[in-house]
């Protein structure tokens, strides 16, 4: 075979292999009526896509698709690169018991270069919230969407509604970009954290709006390199690092920046919290900057005496070491007299705390500051009393 012809054939083969192959859920029997179970169709489609040697795009068109719990595991896929384009709505069964004992409703793992664009996830979690509030025996509930042991992940334009538990979880992942995400649940919905990150590195959360009944963003152990910018939070419990120190041996949290965030009517603003019990964990190199507080109950908090229900931690102190934390250009209104509270560990006091250009008011007067076992510096800090 002439060498020129061989080159052309190889070129055409490379184009064929590199061109994406699209799979449409409608072609596998799914119906966009919100009533017909699409789980089997999506499972069969995933098996086909997983076997493809080409880049894969999975398309979920407009309409409502009923979906039970599903796992997208890339461990045995020929290519780890997958794009999900969701133009419609994935809706969970209305009976919370169908998903209630599952860890996740939709779960991705062992993938590289995974992208999820658009779409609405409607978990219909309100009935489970009601069950929990009634004091009855209820399942914990499923996280709406989770990503684990994956790298180079993009989540863009996704909307998560009324999750049973957490809305979005990033666990054990590397290089994750979350942008333009909307999270919505009732302000009284229990344990419905908006975005939870743990054991992951190089994660960004940008240009997102989170309204929920628990933390807007929660940061768990083992997080290194988290950037949060231009996030609107409220209702909710704010942006929280922790709770940390639940385990005696635990990976630390480091290199976290929260920038240009707005908190409206939230229980907390920016917070670091740890259990009041022994642990070798830590939180260091944390930056909270350019934040606006609108009628926030606890705008700035370090709480190292977290002990819910006074179980497994009374009369103990936190072993978590908190250091090198900057609060810069944070202003607005506190819903309570105390606007800044640092309740640090007596065993391992907070060090390297820096407060700069913080101006918080309560009823048109400078908010009160309450500090225990905290050391650092303060400049340009409008306050009614001294702190560091």
């Amino acid at each position: 075979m002439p060498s020129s012809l061989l080159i052309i054939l190889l070129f055409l083969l490379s184009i064929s292999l590199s061109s994406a192959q699209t799979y449409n859920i409608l072609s596998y029997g799914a119906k966009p009526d919100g009533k017909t179970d699409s789980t089997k169709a999506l499972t069969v489609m995933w098996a086909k896509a997983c076997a493809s040697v080409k880049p894969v795009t999975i398309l979920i068109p407009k309409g409502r698709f009923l979906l039970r719990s599903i796992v997208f595991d890339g461990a045995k896929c020929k290519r780890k690169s997958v794009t999900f384009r969701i133009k419609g709505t994935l809706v969970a069964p209305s009976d919370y018991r169908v998903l209630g004992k599952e860890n996740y409703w939709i779960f991705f793992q062992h993938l590289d270069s995974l992208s999820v664009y658009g779409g609405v996830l409607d978990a219909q979690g309100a009935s489970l919230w009601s069950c929990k509030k009634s004091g009855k025996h209820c399942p914990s509930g499923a996280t709406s969407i989770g990503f684990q042991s994956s790298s180079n992940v993009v989540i863009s334009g996704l909307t998560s509604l009324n999750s049973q538990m957490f809305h979005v979880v990033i666990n054990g992942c590397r290089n994750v970009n979350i942008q333009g995400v909307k999270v919505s649940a009732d302000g009284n919905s229990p344990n419905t954290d908006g975005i939870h990150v743990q054991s992951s590195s190089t994660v960004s959360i940008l240009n997102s709006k989170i309204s929920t009944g628990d933390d807007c963003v929660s940061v768990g152990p083992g997080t290194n390199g988290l950037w949060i910018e231009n996030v609107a939070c409220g209702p909710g419990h704010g942006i929280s690092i922790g709770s940390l120190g639940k385990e005696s041996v635990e990976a630390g949290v480091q290199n976290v920046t929260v920038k240009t965030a707005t908190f409206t009517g939230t229980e907390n603003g920016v917070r670091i919290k740890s259990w009041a019990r022994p642990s070798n964990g830590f939180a260091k190199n944390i930056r909270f900057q350019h934040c606006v507080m609108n009628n926030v109950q606890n705008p700035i908090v370090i709480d190292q005496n977290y002990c819910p229900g006074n179980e497994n931690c009374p009369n103990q102190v936190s072993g978590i070491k908190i250091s090198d934390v900057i609060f810069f250009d944070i202003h607005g209104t506190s819903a309570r007299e105390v606007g800044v509270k640092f309740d640090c560990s007596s065993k391992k006091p907070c060090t390297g705390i820096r407060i700069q250009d913080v101006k918080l008011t309560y009823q048109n007067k400078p908010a009160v500051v309450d500090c225990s076992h905290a050391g650092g510096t303060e400049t340009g800090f409008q306050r009614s009393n001294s702190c560091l």
Side-chain angles (χ1 to χ4, degrees):
M1 180 183 295
S3 58
S4 58
L5 181 58
L6 178 60
I7 292 171
I8 292 172
L9 288 174
L10 290 174
F11 176 70
L12 292 173
L13 179 61
S14 67
I15 292 176
S16 174
L17 290 175
S18 63
S19 60
Q21 187 161 351
T22 299
Y23 296 83
N24 189 321
I25 192 173
L26 295 178
S27 302
Y28 291 83
K31 292 182 171 57
D33 57 10
K35 299 177 182 179
T36 304
D37 190 347
S38 300
T39 311
K40 183 177 180 181
L42 197 48
T43 301
V44 172
M45 186 173 68
W46 174 252
K48 292 278 188 180
C50 195
S52 174
V53 295
K54 298 181 179 181
V56 167
T57 295
I58 289 176
L59 176 63
I60 299 173
K62 291 181 179 179
R64 290 176 65 82
F65 296 89
L66 180 64
L67 184 66
R68 290 180 287 110
S69 180
I70 191 166
V71 176
F72 300 105
D73 189 345
K76 296 181 179 179
C77 290
K78 291 186 176 178
R79 289 184 69 106
K80 309 292 186 184
S81 173
V82 181
T83 298
F84 278 74
R85 293 197 178 274
I86 308 172
K87 297 182 178 180
T89 298
L90 298 176
V91 58
S94 57
D95 183 350
Y96 65 79
R97 292 170 296 184
V98 176
L99 294 180
K101 293 183 179 180
E102 301 287 346
N103 290 326
Y104 293 91
W105 175 24
I106 302 166
F107 188 55
F108 296 89
Q109 65 179 354
H110 304 131
L111 290 161
D112 187 6
S113 298
L114 166 66
S115 300
V116 179
Y117 293 110
V120 177
L121 308 180
D122 184 358
Q124 302 202 95
S127 58
L128 178 57
W129 310 336
S130 297
C131 178
K132 290 181 177 180
K133 291 174 186 176
S134 71
K136 297 177 183 176
H137 181 70
C138 314
S140 297
T143 288
S144 285
I145 188 167
F147 301 83
Q148 183 168 300
S149 304
S150 297
S151 56
N152 304 309
V153 178
V154 173
I155 306 161
S156 180
L158 180 72
T159 296
S160 176
L161 305 176
N162 301 325
S163 61
Q164 291 189 348
M165 274 277 286
F166 291 7
H167 287 263
V168 180
V169 167
I170 308 297
N171 181 25
C173 293
R174 178 180 59 84
N175 193 19
V176 179
N177 182 277
I178 303 171
Q179 54 186 330
V181 165
K182 181 180 178 182
V183 167
S184 181
D186 188 85
N188 293 317
S189 55
N191 305 118
T192 53
D193 290 35
I195 301 173
H196 178 74
V197 180
Q198 67 179 37
S199 303
S200 297
S201 62
T202 317
V203 178
S204 60
I205 302 171
L206 310 173
N207 308 321
S208 296
K209 179 174 174 53
I210 303 171
S211 306
T212 193
D214 211 298
D215 294 335
C216 291
V217 179
S218 55
V219 183
T223 299
N224 182 2
L226 172 61
W227 187 280
I228 301 170
E229 183 172 0
N230 195 25
V231 168
C233 170
H237 292 182
I239 294 178
S240 293
I241 295 174
S243 50
L244 305 178
K246 188 174 183 179
E247 306 299 332
S248 59
V249 178
E250 185 179 277
V253 172
Q254 56 192 321
N255 305 319
V256 176
T257 296
V258 177
K259 180 180 180 182
T260 322
T262 302
F263 302 84
T264 303
T266 52
E267 183 175 291
N268 306 291
V270 293
R271 173 172 64 161
I272 303 173
K273 65 173 179 175
S274 68
W275 286 73
R277 54 202 289 179
S279 178
N280 70 339
F282 61 86
K284 66 180 181 181
N285 193 23
I286 315 294
R287 305 288 182 266
F288 300 109
Q289 56 194 45
H290 312 308
C291 296
V292 177
M293 305 289 170
N294 297 316
N295 198 36
V296 173
Q297 293 182 41
N298 307 291
I300 296 175
V301 183
I302 296 178
D303 177 11
Q304 293 205 257
N305 286 293
Y306 180 68
C307 188
N310 285 323
E311 296 181 2
N312 303 317
C313 43
N315 306 315
Q316 299 186 66
V317 294
S318 177
I320 296 291
K321 174 61 179 176
I322 296 176
S323 62
D324 190 17
V325 183
I326 295 177
F327 301 91
F328 172 62
D329 184 28
I330 298 176
H331 60 275
T333 55
S334 173
R336 294 178 177 173
E337 188 176 8
V338 176
V340 177
K341 184 167 184 175
F342 296 149
D343 187 9
C344 296
S345 170
S346 58
K347 181 179 180 181
K348 293 186 178 179
C350 301
T351 57
I353 307 298
R354 196 170 102 198
I355 303 177
Q356 183 176 349
D357 297 333
V358 171
K359 297 177 175 62
L360 296 168
T361 61
Y362 170 70
Q363 297 183 348
N364 297 317
K365 295 180 181 179
V368 171
V369 180
D370 184 358
C371 298
S372 299
H373 311 294
T377 61
E378 53 184 76
T379 57
F381 184 17
Q382 182 185 14
R383 65 204 185 282
S384 62
N385 60 315
S386 61
C387 178
L388 301 175

